[in-house]
Amino acid sequence: AGHKGAHAELPSVAKIRTDEAVAGLDTPAAYAAFSNKVTAVCEGLRGFLAQAREEGKTVAGYGAAAKGNTLLNVAGIGTGDLAYVVDRNPEKQGTLLPGSHIPVRAPDALYQTRPDYVLILPWNLSAEIAAEHAAIADWGGRFVVAVPELTLL
C-alpha cells in the first residue's frame, strides 16, 4: 500500500485486479448488490424462525462451522430461535457458538429431541447432510437451508 505511483504494481496484484473486474467486483454497485442479497437471506431466515416459533415448532441447527456461525450472528439469531446446533466434531460439542451462545451438541441430539426442522448451516453440504440423516423424515422432520434463499428440503 502506498500513494499512487509510489510503487510498481506487481503482476500478482494486476491479476487480482483483472479477476475482480471480470467478476464484476470492481464497482461499489457490486457490493451494494451483495449487501442486498445478505439482507434478503437474513430476513428470510428470521421470518422462517419466527413463523416456526409461532407455530410451536422446534428448530435445531446442523454444523458449527465459521460460515454458519457468521450467518447466525449477522442475522441476529440466538438461543430463542435455535434450540441447539449439532456438530460431528467432538471438540466443538459441549461448547457455545461465539456471539449467539447457542449450545453445540453431538448429532445424536437430533434423534433424542426430534426437532421439526433442522437448519443446515454449511449450505454447500446440504445434500450430503440430508442424505446422511434421512431418518429425520421418519418423525416428520424437515431440513432447511437459508442460502442462497430459504429452502425447505
Side-chain angles (χ1 to χ4, degrees):
H3 293 286
K4 190 172 185 168
H7 305 281
E9 184 175 271
L10 296 174
S12 59
V13 173
K15 181 183 179 332
I16 291 170
R17 286 167 152 304
T18 300
D19 291 348
E20 288 176 345
V22 168
L25 298 175
D26 59 341
T27 66
Y31 293 95
F34 177 72
S35 176
N36 291 338
K37 288 178 186 178
V38 170
T39 298
V41 166
C42 291
E43 287 175 354
L45 178 56
R46 284 192 301 265
F48 167 76
L49 292 170
Q51 181 178 349
R53 193 170 43 254
E54 283 178 21
E55 295 173 358
K57 305 289 186 182
T58 55
V59 184
Y62 188 102
K67 72 178 178 184
N69 191 58
T70 300
L71 170 63
L72 296 177
N73 282 308
V74 169
I77 306 303
T79 55
D81 304 299
L82 284 181
Y84 59 88
V85 169
V86 300
D87 197 279
R88 293 188 313 190
N89 183 343
E91 297 295 321
K92 294 180 180 182
Q93 297 165 12
T95 65
L96 301 175
L97 290 179
S100 66
H101 300 112
I102 296 170
V104 181
R105 299 181 180 174
D108 63 347
L110 295 172
Y111 299 92
Q112 294 167 0
T113 65
R114 298 181 171 208
D116 297 296
Y117 298 103
V118 177
L119 174 64
I120 300 175
L121 294 169
W123 52 87
N124 59 313
L125 302 175
S126 61
E128 175 186 328
I129 292 166
E132 182 178 340
H133 296 281
I136 287 173
D138 293 348
W139 67 76
R142 302 219 24 215
F143 290 100
V144 181
V145 291
V147 178
E149 62 187 19
L150 191 84
T151 305
L152 292 171
L153 303 179

